[in-house]
Amino acid sequence: MTVNEFLTLATRATLLLIATLTLWSYLRYRGRARLDIALLFGLLAFVILIGPIREAGGIPGLDDRWLTLAAQIALVAHPYLLLRLVLDFRPVPATIWWIALIGMVGSWLLLLLLPPPPLPVPATLAIVAYFVFIEGYAVVAFVQGAQVTAGVTRRRLLLAAGASGLLALAILLAGVSAVFLTAGPVISNINQVIVLLAMLSYYAGFATPQWLRRYWQLSELRRFLQQTAGPWAGEPIKATLERLCRVAAAAVGGLATAVGLWDEAEKVLLIRASTMPAALPVGTAISQGPARQAWEEGQALAASIPGDFSPDEAPLAAAVGAGALLMVPIATKERSRGLLIAFTWRMPLFVADDLSLLSLFAEQTAIALGYATLLSEQQTLIRQLHRRTAQLEAAYKELESFSYSVSHDLRAPLRHVAGYIELLQNHTGANLDDKSQRYLKVIQEAANRMGGLIDDLLAFSRFGRVELHKTHFPLDQLVAEVIHDLAADSAGHDITWQIEPLPAVKADRSLMRLVFVNLIANALKFTRSRSPAKIEIGCNLAEDEVIFFVRDNGVGFDMKYVGQLFGVFQRLHSAKEFEGTGIGLANVQRIIHRHGGRTWAEGAVDKGATFYFTLPQATQSEVQGEVEQ
Amino acid sequence: MIEIKRILLVEDDPRDVELTLTALEAKNLANEVLVVHDGEEALDFLHRRGKFRMRLPGHPAVIMLDLKLPKVDGLSVLRQLKTSEELKMIPIVVLTSSHEERDVVESYKLGVNAYVVKPIDFHDFVNAVKELGLFWAVINEPPPGSIRRA
């Protein structure tokens, strides 16, 4: 087999295969574009196959001349069919249409009416002129198309342009070889290769096999994912949407793309980003039509001119110059945000592929938006937290400077009152009558009492602010210490102590000591009239806390006033009956609250009282943990 | 020529000055007290500058320092004195109305020699001041360069 024979065979076989595939594709999926492609390759295959048929002796009963004529007729239809394919990518001016149509029909008439062969030179020139002009136009159209598009469409157009160029070259070479017959075999070989390449390019461009298309789309997807994965944090939503538009347009060869986000208040999709802001201005509302339908159903959808478009979409499509819309929801499982809309010149050949690719982009974008939303919510929360903290700190500072000022500035005049009364007494003491002496004494006592109150109040305020120094210590020991200290003051008083075992706790020891000092001192105070006085200290374990209590058989109180017990300077007894300022239980409550516990009391008049407080059980488990360590 | 005395009382409130002097009188120490009325005066006096440029040389045996003072407050005075090579040996007693913990802590950090809260009760006050005066101006051996009892 010579090289020439091999190439011829390869070209024929390839073309036959492509023609079969495109025909199969048309029969299976239908559609105008597929028909055009099938026709284009079918005619080319026919032209090429005339050769072997003739070599095999032709078709019996049919003049060889007719076969040649048929091939020629088929060949001159090629530019026209090519022009029809251009239409799948971009509009074609009416003038060009007419030229192509007249050229094709005219060529047919010339071939049919004039006596063959060979045709007269003017007729041949006319046919070649038509052929070259339309093919040339197609090449230019494809190249121009490739310049304004990107991604998959750009590659297809470049292949189509290349194929048209190669085919034109092949025809030129065929003409040359007809003139310079000596160069025949070499040129014929080269020509075979060129034709083969042109066929493959056409095929890849027009009837792009799915694997090739997927491969191209994959690279678009990879680029998109790389861009999306990087700058999520802090990227403005608009930038994310604009990138989606750009990438989507490139991947499906759209004339333009836009993102409409759902506006809950207006119940419309509002365009928030687009690749063609002049035709698809940001802020345009779409409330009806296929876009609305795609949004509501959460489904990818394709719609084509003209009937499908709603009054909302039609002007947009017209402004872009689009004949079809591809729409996919921008949604995650949790939340739908809007719609990605790609405007294409015609319904794309591989709608399902395009829609699924767009869906992938949209889904990734929805995830990115989700992250962005979470991030911005988080930042808002953090800002709020900072603001609150600052407010708290300011309030705390004010409180501190207030108590500081009370501590310094309120005590000085009190001291002066007490001091000068004393000086006055020393000065005129002997000259004053009893009444005046008593007045001075009252003033002095009042000043001293006020000093005590101020100190109490400052201490109370300090318990609210002071840092807790929690340590792990046994309460038994603390209670024993307190009782020992206080018992000295109640010597001669008949007291029955009943102290249950108490657990170890994790708390501020000096503050817990104050709690027991206050509660036990109270118990001693209010059982003064009892003999024997009975004071019981114990605890109960509850689900998540330990309840401590101090019970006495003293004078008790009326449960009606239980709400006042823990208030600052609230007293249920007169100063005459029982001394005290009424700060003790307020301090107990504050200290227990600081430890995360509660306080309450039970009692009845003359039947004694029980004071309860709790410490959270979490404190206990911390203790356990520390013990184990 | 301004004299120098054994006790330097830094106190802006004339009533407190009077009560303090009254208390010290009981131990015949009132004559040993020189009073300045704000932190700036105290520093000027000790550094012998400003209107105290011409005072006699020597240091008081003790400085009784209030914390709330006009112009330069007591803690600043304390800080400046305790960081001065020349003056840091002079004993300083903070004598104040407040027992705010941060004042106490800060004063001791700065190196105060004693911290006394003026009691509200006059008897307690008089006793406290008397004891202080007696201890620091009479019993305590002051650092070299201090004024000694005549």
Side-chain angles (χ1 to χ4, degrees):
Chain A
M1 190 190 271
T2 66
V3 174
N4 185 268
E5 280 169 355
F6 171 75
L7 285 173
T8 306
L9 191 65
T11 310
R12 286 172 182 166
T14 307
L15 194 56
L16 201 60
L17 181 68
I18 292 173
T20 315
L21 283 174
T22 53
L23 183 64
W24 166 246
S25 163
Y26 167 68
L27 291 176
R28 187 166 167 204
Y29 301 105
R30 304 282 159 165
R32 205 201 70 127
R34 285 196 172 80
L35 177 62
D36 290 344
I37 292 168
L39 277 175
L40 183 87
F41 285 105
L43 283 182
L44 283 175
F46 178 66
V47 170
I48 298 282
L49 289 180
I50 293 290
I53 292 172
R54 269 209 311 235
E55 283 158 21
I59 297 165
L62 191 67
D63 193 336
D64 200 38
R65 206 168 60 87
W66 289 110
L67 277 176
T68 310
L69 189 62
Q72 285 168 338
I73 284 174
L75 195 61
V76 293
H78 181 264
Y80 174 78
L81 284 174
L82 197 61
L83 203 61
R84 282 180 63 103
L85 283 172
V86 173
L87 252 190
D88 280 330
F89 296 96
R90 51 184 309 165
V92 173
T95 330
I96 301 289
W97 264 121
W98 283 115
I99 293 175
L101 209 58
I102 292 169
M104 181 176 70
V105 175
S107 300
W108 283 346
L109 289 176
L110 287 176
L111 287 169
L112 287 172
L113 299 180
L114 290 177
L119 281 178
V121 174
T124 310
L125 280 180
I127 292 172
V128 168
Y130 146 74
F131 196 95
V132 169
F133 178 73
I134 297 299
E135 289 278 330
Y137 174 83
V139 172
V140 172
F142 288 140
V143 170
Q144 278 179 346
Q147 277 167 349
V148 298
T149 56
V152 174
T153 307
R154 184 189 173 89
R155 297 179 204 230
R156 291 182 60 195
L157 286 170
L158 284 174
L159 282 170
S164 301
L166 285 172
L167 206 62
L169 183 67
I171 288 169
L172 196 68
L173 285 175
V176 169
S177 85
V179 177
F180 307 100
L181 282 170
T182 50
V186 179
I187 288 183
S188 174
N189 280 354
I190 295 172
N191 235 7
Q192 293 282 5
V193 174
I194 291 173
V195 169
L196 186 62
L197 286 176
M199 291 308 113
L200 287 173
S201 298
Y202 265 138
Y203 180 65
F206 289 134
T208 320
Q210 229 160 27
W211 61 265
L212 184 59
R213 201 182 153 73
R214 290 252 161 88
Y215 172 74
W216 288 341
Q217 289 186 331
L218 200 65
S219 70
E220 296 293 323
L221 182 63
R222 189 177 297 128
R223 213 169 54 221
F224 172 74
L225 287 179
Q226 275 166 356
Q227 288 174 350
T228 313
W232 278 355
E235 185 187 59
I237 286 180
K238 194 167 187 304
T240 311
L241 297 183
E242 277 171 355
R243 191 176 52 238
L244 172 66
C245 287
R246 262 195 327 270
V247 175
V252 299
L255 298 169
T257 49
V259 168
L261 292 188
W262 180 249
D263 185 303
E264 192 54 47
E266 300 287 325
K267 305 280 179 207
V268 291
L269 287 160
L270 277 183
I271 291 184
R272 298 286 294 276
S274 75
T275 53
M276 209 189 266
L280 307 167
V282 169
T284 310
I286 302 172
S287 60
Q288 49 182 330
R292 176 65 180 256
Q293 188 194 341
W295 157 256
E296 278 176 359
E297 291 172 3
Q299 295 284 338
L301 197 71
S304 62
I305 39 166
D308 288 353
F309 290 178
S310 74
D312 280 349
E313 294 146 345
L316 297 178
V320 172
L325 292 185
L326 302 180
M327 292 155 293
V328 294
I330 301 173
T332 54
K333 279 198 190 83
E334 292 79 27
R335 184 170 168 196
S336 295
R337 291 170 180 275
L339 211 57
L340 169 64
I341 308 171
F343 293 78
T344 53
W345 156 243
R346 287 234 170 137
M347 189 63 84
L349 270 184
F350 304 96
V351 177
D353 277 4
D354 285 347
L355 286 178
S356 68
L357 182 68
L358 288 181
S359 296
L360 212 53
F361 290 150
E363 211 171 275
Q364 287 301 316
T365 304
I367 291 169
L369 290 180
Y371 273 101
T373 309
L374 273 180
L375 204 71
S376 88
E377 279 169 5
Q378 187 192 15
Q379 276 163 351
T380 309
L381 280 177
I382 289 172
R383 268 199 303 278
Q384 276 177 0
L385 197 66
H386 280 308
R387 215 169 30 238
R388 298 256 162 87
T389 310
Q391 283 171 350
L392 267 179
E393 273 170 3
Y396 180 83
K397 281 234 167 68
E398 269 173 32
L399 190 68
E400 254 200 342
S401 72
F402 172 76
S403 74
Y404 185 82
S405 156
V406 166
S407 176
H408 272 283
D409 300 337
L410 251 55
R411 285 165 57 96
L414 268 178
R415 212 172 51 245
H416 300 156
V417 170
Y420 280 92
I421 293 280
E422 183 76 23
L423 292 185
L424 183 63
Q425 273 176 334
N426 293 346
H427 194 61
T428 63
N431 304 331
L432 287 177
D433 57 15
D434 288 353
K435 209 168 208 176
S436 305
Q437 291 278 12
R438 196 179 68 81
Y439 290 165
L440 288 178
K441 193 162 173 279
V442 170
I443 296 173
Q444 202 153 34
E445 280 170 5
N448 283 339
R449 199 168 68 243
M450 184 155 173
L453 290 176
I454 289 175
D455 286 348
D456 284 350
L457 212 52
L458 287 173
F460 175 70
S461 146
R462 200 158 46 236
F463 292 143
R465 293 176 289 135
V466 72
E467 210 180 311
L468 297 183
H469 298 289
K470 287 191 183 175
T471 53
H472 168 225
F473 62 92
L475 270 182
D476 289 319
Q477 197 189 330
L478 180 84
V479 169
E481 272 172 37
V482 171
I483 289 171
H484 178 263
D485 290 354
L486 294 176
D489 297 337
S490 47
H493 188 185
D494 183 9
I495 306 162
T496 309
W497 296 94
Q498 190 180 326
I499 320 279
E500 290 176 19
L502 299 172
V505 294
K506 189 173 183 190
D508 186 310
R509 194 177 197 278
S510 64
L511 292 184
M512 287 314 292
R513 187 185 156 85
L514 261 166
V515 167
F516 279 104
V517 165
N518 274 300
L519 293 179
I520 295 172
N522 270 358
L524 286 170
K525 196 197 302 185
F526 295 108
T527 54
R528 249 183 333 222
S529 56
R530 300 292 193 265
S531 191
K534 197 179 165 205
I535 299 174
E536 208 182 316
I537 300 172
C539 73
N540 296 310
L541 287 176
E543 199 171 310
D544 53 355
E545 56 189 10
V546 191
I547 304 168
F548 297 92
F549 62 86
V550 176
R551 184 172 295 137
D552 66 57
N553 63 342
V555 295
F557 61 88
D558 189 335
M559 279 300 273
K560 210 161 43 175
Y561 304 117
V562 73
Q564 296 176 22
L565 272 177
F566 293 94
V568 174
F569 299 147
Q570 294 279 0
R571 310 206 60 222
L572 296 186
H573 303 276
S574 70
K576 227 177 200 171
E577 281 179 289
F578 295 102
E579 69 289 350
T581 56
I583 198 76
L585 288 176
N587 282 339
V588 167
Q589 187 178 53
R590 187 161 256 199
I591 291 168
I592 295 304
H593 282 178
R594 287 293 307 278
H595 282 83
R598 305 171 290 127
T599 56
W600 70 98
E602 284 167 6
V605 176
D606 281 330
K607 299 246 168 68
T610 309
F611 288 86
Y612 298 91
F613 69 88
T614 67
L615 288 176
Q617 186 78 315
T619 322
Q620 295 298 306
S621 66
E622 280 169 32
V623 168
Q624 289 302 325
E626 276 192 7
V627 168
E628 280 157 21
Q629 279 164 21
Chain B
M1 188 71 79
I2 301 164
E3 276 187 285
I4 167 115
K5 297 192 173 171
R6 277 190 292 154
I7 300 173
L8 177 68
L9 177 63
V10 191
E11 174 63 72
D12 64 313
D13 190 324
R15 288 169 290 264
D16 268 318
V17 171
E18 188 178 355
L19 292 174
T20 309
L21 290 178
T22 306
L24 289 173
E25 225 158 57
K27 293 282 174 192
N28 291 323
L29 284 170
N31 285 331
E32 304 283 353
V33 180
L34 192 128
V35 182
V36 289
H37 300 96
D38 60 55
E40 194 180 277
E41 267 192 14
L43 291 169
D44 282 354
F45 178 86
L46 291 163
H47 284 290
R48 296 178 72 197
R49 63 192 186 199
K51 64 177 179 175
F52 298 105
R53 203 169 51 244
M54 304 299 286
R55 81 159 169 86
L56 290 171
H59 301 319
V62 64
I63 300 169
M64 293 189 177
L65 181 66
D66 191 14
L67 287 186
K68 276 204 109 180
L69 290 170
K71 298 184 188 170
V72 183
D73 72 18
L75 287 175
S76 302
V77 173
L78 184 60
R79 186 177 303 112
Q80 292 187 37
L81 292 181
K82 288 299 180 187
T83 51
S84 154
E85 274 307 314
E86 192 195 345
L87 303 172
K88 67 181 179 188
M89 285 201 297
I90 306 174
I92 300 174
V93 176
V94 163
L95 195 57
T96 177
S97 300
S98 123
H99 42 63
E100 280 288 303
E101 193 177 306
R102 60 178 156 137
D103 285 339
V104 180
V105 170
E106 187 63 23
S107 297
Y108 277 113
K109 273 186 185 164
L110 292 173
V112 79
N113 301 79
Y115 190 104
V116 176
V117 179
K118 300 174 195 169
I120 283 181
D121 184 86
F122 187 64
H123 288 291
D124 297 344
F125 176 79
V126 167
N127 284 334
V129 173
K130 273 196 314 205
E131 298 297 326
L132 273 180
L134 194 62
F135 178 79
W136 287 104
V138 180
I139 299 170
N140 189 48
E141 176 68 28
S146 306
I147 298 295
R148 298 190 163 268
R149 192 156 205 189

